[in-house]
Amino acid sequence: MRTSRTMGTILTILGIIFVIAGGATYVMVSQELSRANVTVADDAAFLAGDEVDGPFSAYAQAQIIDKHALDATGGKTYAELDREDPLRQTAMSASFLRASLFTSVVAFGVAAMAMGVGAGMILGGIGLRARADDPAAVPVTV
């Protein structure tokens, strides 16, 4: 039973670390996006006019950047444009901006996942400790 208590404590501590790290990452990415002072374009499919500071607004802005770039290039992507086409720079800039925004969307997702895993670890650790402290618990042998 002592092993269960120790493992429960370790699992709980690791869970707390995961929750804190995930939360800190989520806040940091949000603050960095907010510092860029970007607003979702007025013609976006959703969240038009919203400040880009979260996963949904970043996704919305990435989508409208793609639409604007395709409109500007006549529906052609960077790879489809001739090397000498002056619109290639527009397509490249749009691609870079979209990739940056999608990277932040992924960072938000990983941060949320870390917090969820951490919460699960905390609950598992508490459960292990409770089992170790239960005098009626029957030791499980494998």
Side-chain angles (χ1 to χ4, degrees):
M1 293 298 194
R2 185 164 189 239
T3 303
S4 293
R5 186 170 180 72
T6 302
M7 289 306 296
T9 300
I10 291 170
L11 198 59
T12 302
I13 291 168
L14 286 174
I16 291 168
I17 291 169
F18 269 57
V19 169
I20 291 170
T25 300
Y26 198 97
V27 168
M28 181 192 70
V29 173
S30 179
Q31 287 175 343
E32 288 300 315
L33 278 174
S34 187
R35 278 191 204 124
N37 223 9
V38 176
T39 303
V40 178
D42 290 335
D43 58 339
F46 63 102
L47 297 177
D50 191 31
E51 179 186 5
V52 177
D53 61 355
F56 300 108
S57 57
Y59 181 81
Q61 183 63 15
Q63 292 302 95
I64 197 63
I65 286 172
D66 186 47
K67 181 184 178 307
H68 290 170
L70 289 173
D71 288 348
T73 61
K76 291 185 178 181
T77 63
Y78 173 80
E80 295 171 326
L81 293 167
D82 291 331
R83 288 180 188 239
E84 304 303 319
D85 192 328
L87 293 175
R88 201 160 195 235
Q89 181 64 40
T90 299
M92 183 175 70
S93 294
S95 180
F96 172 75
L97 290 170
R98 290 185 73 227
S100 296
L101 288 165
F102 283 135
T103 299
S104 69
V105 171
V106 171
F108 280 117
V110 171
M113 183 186 70
M115 289 186 288
V117 168
M121 292 170 77
I122 291 168
L123 292 174
I126 290 170
L128 274 174
R129 288 179 54 87
R131 172 108 171 119
D133 293 338
D134 185 0
V138 178
V140 178
T141 57
V142 179

